[in-house]
Amino acid sequence: MAITQAIPNSFRGQLLTGTHNFTATTGNVFKLALYTSASTMSSATTVYANTAEVANTGQYVTGGGVLVNVSPVVSAGVAFIDFADLSFTGVTLTAAGALIYNTSSTNAAVAVLDFGGDKTATAGTFTIQFPAATTSAAILTIS
């Protein structure tokens, strides 16, 4: 089993049909779910599924947490989006990756994240820290 970091192929096509609206406050609702190393996700992932998802613990529940996004930015010919860091408190868990998905659009997959190995929290806080919101580092970019 493996998690391969990727932008799902289905997401690429859905951008052209207007499936996803990243506008802050009035756009779609996006969530992030955590997965164990038993998960298999890649560019072929199309929707959220709870197979091999991290079990409920502390503040983490099946389906993950809601992401807070800022409206898309276009700079130097690159469009990008950023999310606020997401923390789950009071958890004991091990996660190898995550899936960002759109709950407003039948749980359509947006991005598969590979943590590069198991990351753990024991009776503590597990935080997903997103990269800087720049044209070269943002979590989602289109150029």
Side-chain angles (χ1 to χ4, degrees):
M1 308 273 178
I3 297 172
T4 303
Q5 185 150 318
I7 299 299
N9 294 329
S10 57
F11 174 74
R12 297 168 198 266
Q14 291 164 352
L15 284 176
L16 299 177
T17 60
T19 301
H20 304 279
N21 180 348
F22 289 93
T23 306
T25 69
T26 60
N28 296 150
V29 175
F30 296 89
K31 292 182 87 174
L32 180 140
L34 299 173
Y35 290 85
T36 69
S37 60
S39 176
T40 301
M41 294 190 295
S42 67
S43 61
T45 300
T46 58
V47 296
Y48 160 79
N50 63 5
T51 305
E53 184 177 357
V54 168
N56 293 347
T57 175
Q59 192 185 40
Y60 185 83
V61 296
T62 301
V66 174
L67 292 169
V68 175
N69 62 306
V70 296
S71 291
V73 174
V74 177
S75 176
V78 178
F80 59 92
I81 187 73
D82 186 34
F83 297 105
D85 294 349
L86 178 63
S87 294
F88 301 101
T89 59
V91 298
T92 297
L93 62 80
T94 300
L99 178 70
I100 296 173
Y101 66 100
N102 184 345
T103 65
S104 301
S105 179
T106 61
N107 295 331
V110 172
V112 175
L113 307 178
D114 176 5
F115 297 161
D118 285 342
K119 305 300 180 194
T120 62
T122 304
T125 301
F126 192 92
T127 300
I128 304 299
Q129 184 176 9
F130 287 97
T134 67
T135 58
S136 61
I139 193 71
L140 290 173
T141 63
I142 299 171
S143 57

